[in-house]
Amino acid sequence: MHEIITIQLGNRANHLATHFWNTQESYQYLPLPSFSSSTPSSAFSTTAPIINHDIHFRQGIASNGSGSGSGSTETYLPRTVIYDLKGGFGALRRGDVGVGADDGDGGGGGVWSGPQTIHTLSPIAPSPYHLSLANPSTASTTTTAPAISLTSTTLSPSTVRYWSDYTHTYYHPRSMIQLNDYTLSSSILPFETHAAGDELFDSLDKEHDLLDRDLRLWAEECDQMQGVQMFTGVDDAWGGFAGRYTERIRDDFGKVGLWVWGVEAGGGEERRDKKLLRTSNAARSLHDISAHASMYIPLAIPKRLPDYVGLDRPSGWHTSALLETAVESMMLPSRMHDGQKRRTLNDLETALNVNGNQRIARLQCSVFDPDTLEDQRTAKVKTLKTDKRVANAGFNALIGEGEERGNTQDLDVDLFPRTMSSLIQEKGREKKVSHIFGQISSYRGNFDPSNKSDDNDDEGNTRKRRRTAGLPMMEKYCHILPLPDRDQLIRTICRFYTSLPHPLLPTYPPIFPTFCAPITSVSVHSSLSTATQIATQVKAMKQIVSKMVGLDEREALSNGLGEIVEAYEEGWSGGSDSDDD
């Protein structure tokens, strides 16, 4: 079934993953795709939904039954392992997951049989959203539509205290792992340095063997595991924890696909020493994680956002929703059914990691109101043609012309952390032309991929039939560029099209205030690329952290970041000369 196991590390990562799981659950209630009478019956499967839910979810039997008898309850729960600090789970508790308490939870009492002294803290009250779901007068009582269809007027930045306050998904008890060594948002013993996360993992792994205790049972349930995706914070102690975790996964699971999404705090006002600490943590995380991950994608909310995005930046509920929109749209091809152009994590890695040592990618996205998509496209074309700051005038973000010329696309929201290149940009140097090595573009919504020259041949007719049936399409291009006095440079471009928009659920914050209301979904164009621009930004990070770390690790860290820079400069140079150390 090509299953994917998810690992969630830390508060920011759990905010993003909560939106992700709410979205995945909503797909289970999509209607089956429709087909016209002219569509050949052999072309597509008319019995399967668009999304293969078994990739991210597992079936089980609730603990109140032992089979298919009348007392048993089937469950369908995410394949995920959730780590957070003490107090990070909010009102969500391991034994309070309803029908999620199914088979094999590994629970039960301890081996101690002597006297016990129990100290009980006051329980955290459920969120207003969960109370509204529990109210019979508002909860859905039908089996054809989920309770998530409720209007969520109880969710706001002031009422969302924890990521569990707006989760709509049941989790397996084995999924939730609380680390009691540190407390969330503690000022006495903060969990904020890379070394602290490193030490915590080593101590827990020495005591319990974390992979055997927390991950291996999930892997053994899979028929044909596609890979592991990890959401983690990287500019605090969770980066050290994630670096050690990825190393163990690579040692124990060999060549399995391992995609890491590293969430950084972006755009907030902090003291200078805090910013430098976060930059140092992010540099160590990038060095450690990229050495073992198949693909590492750092994420941060940029300081400048398009006019149609309205974020409450201090709210993790808001910022993680924008990140999830891009991440979930980008990875949609890995969750499709076989007959509908699914691409595994290894396929996507091959398209990005062209030279074998480019394991860091840049994520961008543009979001559109489906009702006014064409008007927005026209307006953006006019803006780009009159804006002298745009290198490639024209709407390359939608038609892909910039891709085939070898230049990076500039979508509305660039989620690659910008603190890495801030010092270089402040010096006023001429901006280098960034070249792409590999790129995957995902178009979901009412985008029209029909402007191809081969629409009259068999391939073009197949594409038209798939578009008419509302099914996704994947197109792949491999360009070999002859370069003077050096080896040829290979560039891979993949484009994925689907008419399935990104849903805006009641648990999703209103971060697109200018779109026509009421709006239940958005069209999204997201792009993941490996480009020479990454070298420029990693080089700026190297210049900063080389002055902050101790002598004992400065050489190893600087050499490691230097090797990453070389991987994105090898075989290509353009624009002004670079200032090497």
Side-chain angles (χ1 to χ4, degrees), residues 337-358:
H337 274 276
D338 288 340
Q340 299 175 354
K341 300 292 185 181
R342 187 185 71 230
R343 290 295 181 267
T344 64
L345 297 181
N346 288 335
D347 294 334
L348 301 179
E349 177 194 351
T350 301
L352 293 171
N353 190 3
V354 176
N355 294 330
N357 55 357
Q358 296 161 331

Side-chain angles (χ1 to χ4, degrees), residues 72-216:
S72 62
T73 302
E74 285 193 3
T75 62
Y76 205 51
L77 308 176
R79 305 178 189 272
T80 187
V81 184
I82 308 172
Y83 293 88
D84 213 330
L85 303 180
K86 184 178 180 181
F89 286 90
L92 185 65
R93 293 179 294 275
R94 182 184 177 94
D96 186 26
V97 289
V99 299
D102 64 351
D103 58 296
D105 64 4
V111 297
W112 175 254
S113 58
Q116 300 179 3
T117 301
I118 300 176
H119 300 273
T120 305
L121 296 176
S122 300
I124 299 174
S127 68
Y129 172 68
H130 286 152
L131 292 177
S132 68
L133 292 180
N135 190 340
S137 63
T138 59
S140 173
T141 57
T142 66
T143 58
T144 58
I148 204 168
S149 62
L150 294 171
T151 58
S152 178
T153 58
T154 56
L155 289 175
S156 67
S158 60
T159 61
V160 173
R161 306 155 299 170
Y162 308 93
W163 55 266
S164 60
D165 284 348
Y166 56 93
T167 182
H168 192 272
T169 308
Y170 284 119
Y171 297 103
H172 195 288
R174 201 170 63 219
S175 290
M176 295 180 290
I177 302 170
Q178 180 172 282
L179 305 182
N180 295 315
D181 302 71
Y182 291 86
T183 303
L184 183 68
S185 303
S186 173
S187 58
I188 301 176
L189 187 62
F191 194 56
E192 62 180 10
T193 65
H194 189 274
D198 226 340
E199 295 171 0
L200 178 60
F201 182 91
D202 287 340
S203 63
L204 293 175
D205 192 48
K206 184 177 181 179
E207 182 179 358
H208 301 291
D209 193 335
L210 288 185
L211 264 67
D212 276 348
R213 186 192 72 176
D214 302 336
L215 184 62
R216 195 170 303 280

Side-chain angles (χ1 to χ4, degrees), residues 245-528:
Y245 211 124
T246 55
E247 182 181 357
R248 281 294 316 277
I249 291 176
R250 185 57 66 210
D251 290 341
D252 285 26
F253 290 91
K255 296 183 179 180
V256 67
L258 174 57
W259 283 57
V260 180
W261 304 87
V263 186
E264 300 183 21
E269 295 296 331
E270 287 184 310
R271 299 196 315 266
R272 176 178 173 80
D273 60 329
K274 290 290 186 180
K275 288 185 178 181
L276 291 177
L277 176 60
R278 289 193 178 278
T279 302
S280 176
N281 291 334
R284 289 179 170 93
S285 299
L286 183 143
H287 174 266
D288 295 346
I289 295 175
S290 64
H292 305 289
S294 304
M295 195 59 59
Y296 172 57
I297 306 96
L299 303 171
I301 298 295
K303 291 185 177 180
R304 299 182 62 181
L305 291 169
D307 294 339
Y308 60 79
V309 178
L311 287 183
D312 186 339
R313 289 183 181 270
S315 171
W317 178 48
H318 269 230
T319 55
S320 61
L322 182 59
L323 296 178
E324 185 272 343
T325 301
V327 172
E328 201 276 332
S329 299
M330 194 68 255
M331 301 307 293
L332 193 61
S334 66
R335 297 188 291 277
M336 313 307 288
H337 274 276
D338 288 340
Q340 299 175 354
K341 300 292 185 181
R342 187 185 71 230
R343 290 295 181 267
T344 64
L345 297 181
N346 288 335
D347 294 334
L348 301 179
E349 177 194 351
T350 301
L352 293 171
N353 190 3
V354 176
N355 294 330
N357 55 357
Q358 296 161 331
R359 294 187 289 271
I360 302 173
R362 172 193 181 198
L363 180 63
Q364 302 177 82
C365 74
S366 292
V367 184
F368 304 90
D369 184 344
D371 296 333
T372 60
L373 176 59
E374 191 61 35
D375 295 338
Q376 293 180 65
R377 293 172 63 180
T378 304
K380 185 171 284 290
V381 169
K382 293 180 180 179
T383 301
L384 291 174
K385 287 183 176 180
T386 57
D387 193 344
K388 297 181 180 180
R389 298 172 297 175
V390 180
N392 302 317
F395 197 24
N396 297 337
L398 285 180
I399 63 177
E401 292 178 358
E403 297 173 342
E404 300 185 7
R405 288 199 298 266
N407 300 325
T408 55
Q409 299 184 40
D410 289 325
L411 302 189
D412 294 339
V413 183
D414 186 357
L415 298 174
F416 200 88
R418 304 300 297 177
T419 54
M420 299 181 184
S421 58
S422 58
L423 294 181
I424 290 180
Q425 293 178 351
E426 289 174 1
K427 293 180 180 179
R429 296 193 325 172
E430 178 185 357
K431 187 177 179 181
K432 292 181 63 176
V433 175
S434 186
H435 176 81
I436 57 174
F437 299 100
Q439 185 175 59
I440 304 171
S441 293
S442 173
Y443 301 81
R444 56 185 308 181
N446 298 323
F447 295 97
D448 185 10
S450 61
N451 55 342
K452 301 294 178 182
S453 59
D454 59 352
D455 271 353
N456 292 326
D457 58 19
D458 292 339
E459 183 179 353
N461 292 332
T462 300
R463 184 165 49 246
K464 288 181 178 179
R465 291 196 298 268
R466 296 191 67 86
R467 187 171 63 253
T468 301
L471 298 178
M473 295 179 288
M474 173 70 80
E475 298 176 353
K476 182 175 182 179
Y477 307 89
C478 183
H479 304 274
I480 301 179
L481 307 180
L483 299 178
D485 303 327
R486 59 176 72 106
D487 295 335
Q488 292 178 329
L489 179 64
I490 299 177
R491 181 175 73 251
T492 304
I493 305 294
C494 292
R495 301 193 189 116
F496 172 79
Y497 298 90
T498 179
S499 59
L500 177 65
H502 186 285
L504 299 185
L505 305 173
T507 56
Y508 195 94
I511 62 174
F512 305 117
T514 63
F515 289 177
C516 298
I519 183 171
T520 59
S521 63
V522 290
S523 298
V524 182
H525 173 201
S526 54
S527 171
L528 195 61

